[in-house]
Amino acid sequence: MPARVLNNPLKNPERPYLAIGLEGSANKFGAGVIKHLEDGSTSVLSNVRHTYITPPGEGFQPRDTALHHREWALKVINECLVKANISMHDVDCICFTEGPGMGAPLQSVALIARTLSLLFNKPLIGVNHCVGHIEMGREVTGAHNPVVLYVSGGNTQVIAYSRQCYRIFGETLDIAVGNCLDRFARVIDLSNDPAPGYNIEQEAKKGKRLLSLPYATKGMDVSFSGILTAIEAYTYDKRFRADGLPRNSEDQDIITPADLCFSLQETIYAMLVEITERAMAHIGSKEILIVGGVGCNERLQDMMRIMAEEREGKVFAMDESFCIDNGIMIAQAGLLSFRMGFETPLSKSSTTQRFRTDEVHVSWRA
């Protein structure tokens, strides 16, 4: 990735730096190796992950997810190192997700990171999961100072940078947008492979009816729990057909799973576009960066792009390799912190399920 000249306190390194990042805040365990070069450019050497997938209609429980991470950790880390063509002795630091996320999976990843730190005598760097998404997004897309829409299974936030802090302009008041999608996918028995949100997106492409759902923006914040309740109620409507087929040639007034997926996407994404546009107007930005697993959704990207073009702006988005939780984003944010002199002592390497984006001192930016 090309170097960018920025007015910030992070100077170009005098030598190449290597970091390995470990991510496991939810149902994916990922490991990635990143290199920062002397000219200020960045190189992704490897980015490997494995997903814990449950049967249709079921979510993933913290205990089972943690067991999955422990089972797959060595395989994923070894594959990551082989693809990067390095050993653990070569890395400058070991970065891990400190939070937010699910308690047991976070603890499993922190345990693995501590073990590697002690075995190879490498410094530990605890990383905020959201800041990892933002920094990787900025690096991959080249966005300079965007309004960030962070949308995932556990988080929904509109963010902008100011004075070495990622400020939260708006967020969900209850459940995250990804959690809303995942839970509805379970209601209509969609597969969790590769992800329930992806399968809702594919089903929505076949939808033909836009059904009425609550539109819950409250200032800069949003609410999704009422929308989830309302769309679940449609599955009990006498017009609903789970198989998507009409009862007979005369009975076309039916509601299909595709209609529900289409209506859900259109409503919740319109809400996200609205609050993102407000943040753009407030800070005078022409850039939007979409990060997080839900950010892969092409319909969300299209709706955001229409709004941005009307404001003579630009949308920066990524594919699933960087949008969905991964180890390389943790390595990127961790290495930025490490180069600014930050290190997490072993005694303070505990994890936290609640670690807000605006609690992080972004020392590497002006």
Side-chain angles (χ1 to χ4, degrees):
M1 298 173 191
R4 288 180 293 149
V5 179
L6 298 174
N7 179 25
N8 65 29
L10 186 70
K11 307 304 178 184
N12 287 352
E14 296 179 356
R15 63 172 179 84
Y17 279 84
L18 282 171
I20 185 170
L22 305 178
E23 154 60 22
S25 59
N27 68 326
K28 296 166 182 65
F29 181 85
V33 174
I34 202 160
K35 177 187 276 189
H36 288 184
L37 301 170
E38 296 95 327
D39 62 359
S41 63
T42 298
S43 178
V44 173
L45 301 187
S46 62
N47 188 21
V48 181
R49 66 172 168 243
H50 191 272
T51 304
Y52 172 52
I53 297 175
T54 55
E58 295 183 18
F60 48 91
Q61 300 298 320
R63 179 179 179 275
D64 298 331
T65 308
L67 291 173
H68 164 268
H69 292 357
R70 296 184 187 191
E71 178 185 350
W72 281 91
L74 285 178
K75 301 173 189 176
V76 171
I77 292 170
N78 283 333
E79 184 180 347
C80 168
L81 294 172
V82 169
K83 286 188 173 181
N85 195 27
I86 65 166
S87 74
M88 283 300 302
H89 296 285
D90 299 321
V91 304
D92 292 288
C93 58
I94 297 169
C95 313
F96 70 99
T97 305
E98 188 176 342
M102 300 171 68
L106 282 172
Q107 291 171 7
S108 293
V109 175
L111 175 62
I112 294 162
R114 287 188 212 106
T115 303
L116 291 174
S117 174
L118 292 170
L119 282 173
F120 296 97
N121 193 29
K122 301 291 181 179
L124 275 176
I125 311 294
V127 174
N128 178 284
H129 180 86
C130 175
V131 172
H133 273 297
I134 295 171
E135 291 304 336
M136 200 65 219
R138 290 179 64 238
E139 184 61 46
V140 170
T141 65
H144 175 55
N145 190 29
V147 169
V148 180
L149 176 64
Y150 173 33
V151 279
S152 69
N155 300 275
T156 302
Q157 297 176 342
V158 176
I159 302 161
Y161 173 81
S162 176
R163 299 181 181 181
Q164 296 194 312
C165 179
Y166 285 116
R167 315 280 174 172
I168 299 173
F169 276 66
E171 58 192 321
T172 177
L173 298 173
D174 38 54
I175 61 174
V177 59
N179 185 250
C180 177
L181 293 168
D182 292 353
R183 286 166 65 175
F184 182 64
R186 295 200 290 270
V187 169
I188 58 175
D189 210 30
L190 286 182
S191 172
N192 290 321
D193 187 14
Y198 173 82
N199 293 324
I200 281 184
E201 180 182 4
Q202 303 315 307
E203 192 73 12
K205 293 175 181 178
K206 300 179 287 185
K208 292 180 171 60
R209 298 183 61 183
L210 181 61
L211 301 165
S212 177
L213 290 171
Y215 187 92
T217 57
K218 303 180 180 182
M220 284 297 297
D221 298 322
V222 288
S223 172
F224 298 112
S225 59
I227 298 172
L228 179 61
T229 301
I231 199 160
E232 285 181 3
Y234 274 112
T235 64
Y236 302 106
D237 192 297
K238 63 182 181 180
R239 297 171 294 166
F240 178 71
R241 284 292 300 268
D243 56 15
L245 300 174
R247 295 182 181 88
N248 54 59
S249 57
E250 286 79 31
D251 189 4
Q252 298 295 326
D253 187 30
I254 65 165
I255 299 171
T256 67
D259 294 332
L260 294 180
C261 292
F262 171 71
S263 302
L264 180 61
Q265 278 200 162
E266 293 298 302
T267 304
I268 62 177
Y269 294 161
M271 291 161 52
L272 295 174
V273 169
E274 179 183 333
I275 62 172
T276 303
E277 184 176 17
R278 284 208 190 107
M280 288 180 71
H282 183 81
I283 70 170
S285 175
K286 296 290 186 181
E287 297 180 333
I288 304 167
L289 174 63
I290 307 176
V291 300
V294 180
C296 298
N297 188 285
E298 293 178 355
R299 180 55 182 155
L300 173 60
Q301 293 178 12
D302 289 342
M303 292 174 70
M304 199 67 71
R305 194 169 289 113
I306 292 169
M307 179 273 287
E309 288 174 355
E310 290 176 350
R311 300 183 64 86
E312 299 181 347
K314 185 177 181 181
V315 172
F316 296 87
M318 300 172 288
D319 62 19
E320 57 86 27
S321 60
F322 295 114
C323 256
I324 295 174
D325 292 351
N326 58 83
I328 199 70
M329 70 183 199
I330 303 302
Q332 168 67 359
L335 190 51
L336 291 171
S337 293
F338 177 72
R339 287 173 53 197
M340 292 302 297
F342 177 78
E343 183 178 335
T344 303
L346 195 67
S347 60
K348 295 184 178 180
S349 60
S350 58
T351 58
T352 174
Q353 291 180 261
R354 291 174 174 82
F355 187 6
R356 287 181 61 82
T357 314
D358 51 11
E359 293 176 3
V360 178
H361 178 215
V362 187
S363 60
W364 55 89
R365 292 191 63 180

